[in-house]
Amino acid sequence: VPNDAGRGLTRSGLNAHAQNMTPEAVKGLTQPKLMEKFEQNYWKKIGADQLPTNIRAQAFDAAVNQGQPTAMEMLRESKREDGSYDVEKFIELRIKRYKGTLDSKHYRNLSDAEKQQNFTSWMNRIERMKQFT
């Protein structure tokens, strides 16, 4: 994507920059190695196996696309006193963060059309994950 702020090649959502890998190394990952990276760097780091099934997909996708620390913070913010999670609040937090991202230095100089394209893509991610809630 021209002017994409992702800072490097992304393959199936795995970003070379975020993985501290060269674009060539990311391109060369086999499907099993790619899945292993997702499991080690996102699924396990957010403790997805211990999360209720209704929030796992949103949390995992947030970790991949918005960063593991951000996903963990949103999980904390959406956790109820009884230990359950408010999935709708988690989604609201994701949307709020995406809106804030559009004002970040990486996106600030994009045209309104490019910003809208990114935002639409992010909203589509959230919608796709709802099937698992």
Side-chain angles (χ1 to χ4, degrees):
V1 175
N3 299 321
D4 187 4
R7 297 175 290 173
L9 175 92
T10 299
R11 179 168 168 225
S12 300
L14 193 77
N15 179 273
H17 177 78
Q19 297 301 312
N20 207 19
M21 297 173 68
T22 65
E24 294 75 24
V26 171
K27 283 180 190 177
L29 288 173
T30 64
Q31 191 66 22
K33 285 289 187 189
L34 188 63
M35 299 312 292
E36 183 180 308
K37 288 270 187 199
F38 278 117
E39 181 180 20
Q40 293 299 318
N41 296 328
Y42 302 104
W43 187 264
K44 287 187 176 183
K45 284 195 176 182
I46 65 166
D49 285 333
Q50 286 73 48
L51 293 173
T53 57
N54 68 334
I55 200 164
R56 280 182 187 165
Q58 285 290 347
F60 173 71
D61 188 63
V64 171
N65 192 244
Q66 295 175 287
Q68 181 264 345
T70 298
M72 294 299 293
E73 183 180 325
M74 292 187 298
L75 282 167
R76 281 190 296 279
E77 290 180 36
S78 62
K79 192 170 188 177
R80 297 181 179 122
E81 286 186 27
D82 67 2
S84 66
Y85 290 88
D86 183 338
V87 178
E88 289 305 315
K89 181 174 183 177
F90 187 87
I91 291 170
E92 288 172 16
L93 291 168
R94 287 193 78 184
I95 294 169
K96 181 180 177 183
R97 292 216 178 229
Y98 279 133
K99 287 179 179 177
T101 298
L102 291 174
D103 293 325
S104 72
K105 67 178 181 176
H106 296 293
Y107 290 85
R108 192 174 301 129
N109 295 325
L110 295 180
S111 70
D112 288 343
E114 289 171 313
K115 287 180 182 181
Q116 185 59 50
Q117 181 182 10
N118 280 283
F119 190 73
T120 298
S121 175
W122 295 332
M123 294 306 99
N124 288 340
R125 291 180 78 99
I126 289 173
E127 284 302 314
R128 282 192 305 272
M129 294 303 108
K130 284 183 179 180
Q131 70 182 313
F132 302 107
T133 61

